Amino acid sequence: MNADLALDWDKGAGLLPAIVQHWRSGVVLMQGWMNAEALAATRASEKVTFYSRSKRRLWTKGETSGHWLVAKDIRADCDGDAILVLAEPQGPTCHTGTASCFGDEARPAFAFLAELDALVETRERERPEGSYTTRLFEGGVRRIAQKVGEEGVETALAAVAQTPDDLAGEAADLLFHLTVLLRARGLSLADAVAVLARRHR
């Protein structure tokens, strides 16, 4: 994590707003307040810690629910009067059960692709028994590539001979298996998206 942040604590009388963003999908999860002590505690524990203005003490997100926010990076904005925390949530962020304190509708549909990519990465590493993704990885790259080919053909056929819902379902299958194939070759969806972004320029 960034150790040298140029923060202007005086602007907020010792408190600065801290926005927490999902480290992969970019979804804004919540906003709280930090003082220097809360920032230091976040760095030390890697669990996002705020200063509660109502309780007048530090509190760590998840200290009662167990739904921690694991800090991956911390950044300051251009004026040094706001903090951005990139974090990996361990369960729903909001006490209402939603992924974001701004509601699930604040979560763009494409954000799920980053979460899927992260899940596939975990499956490859942990290989849980009974998981379809584990079976794919254990079948090897050739088998996964074959599945991508099959799903590609089924997607093309659905485009010309089936309903839009069928096409969406086949496209979902294709995206999933493509994600697994990329991971099997040491790549991620982000790598493919980066190529698209370079081409777009």
Side-chain angles (χ1 to χ4, degrees):
M1 281 185 278
N2 193 338
D4 299 316
L5 297 178
L7 293 169
D8 189 348
W9 296 106
D10 292 336
K11 275 190 179 179
L15 285 179
L16 294 178
I19 297 96
V20 183
Q21 189 177 33
H22 194 293
W23 75 300
R24 287 184 184 270
S25 68
V27 171
V28 175
L29 300 174
M30 67 174 295
Q31 186 262 320
W33 298 89
M34 284 188 178
N35 58 11
E37 188 181 0
L39 180 60
T42 298
R43 284 182 168 141
S45 68
E46 296 186 351
K47 293 176 180 176
V48 179
T49 300
F50 300 100
Y51 179 80
S52 171
R53 294 173 297 170
S54 59
K55 299 175 183 176
R56 298 185 182 279
R57 67 169 177 84
L58 298 187
W59 68 278
T60 301
K61 180 69 183 79
E63 64 186 23
T64 55
S65 67
H67 298 156
W68 313 106
L69 290 170
V70 179
K72 297 292 185 177
D73 196 11
I74 303 173
R75 303 173 186 175
D77 77 339
C78 58
D79 294 321
D81 58 3
I83 301 166
L84 177 66
V85 182
L86 302 179
E88 181 176 9
Q90 307 295 299
T93 298
C94 187
H95 70 282
T96 64
T98 58
S100 167
C101 287
F102 297 96
D104 283 340
E105 61 274 9
R107 178 174 171 264
F110 283 104
F112 177 72
L113 288 176
E115 296 170 25
L116 173 64
D117 198 35
L119 177 61
V120 169
E121 180 184 25
T122 301
R123 290 286 191 269
E124 182 193 25
R125 183 175 62 253
E126 297 178 356
R127 304 291 175 98
E129 188 176 347
S131 164
Y132 173 67
T133 311
T134 296
R135 292 201 304 274
L136 285 173
F137 281 123
E138 291 178 347
V141 171
R142 287 181 180 273
R143 175 60 184 145
I144 302 169
Q146 180 184 355
K147 284 295 296 179
V148 170
E150 292 170 2
E151 297 299 344
V153 170
E154 290 176 9
T155 300
L157 290 174
V160 296
Q162 296 180 27
T163 69
D165 284 346
D166 292 328
L167 173 58
E170 295 298 345
D173 290 343
L174 177 58
L175 280 170
F176 168 74
H177 288 90
L178 179 59
T179 302
V180 175
L181 180 61
L182 286 166
R183 186 61 61 184
R185 291 300 310 273
L187 297 169
S188 69
L189 277 177
D191 294 311
V193 170
V195 173
L196 285 173
R198 288 196 299 272
R199 290 176 180 173
H200 183 67
R201 296 190 194 112

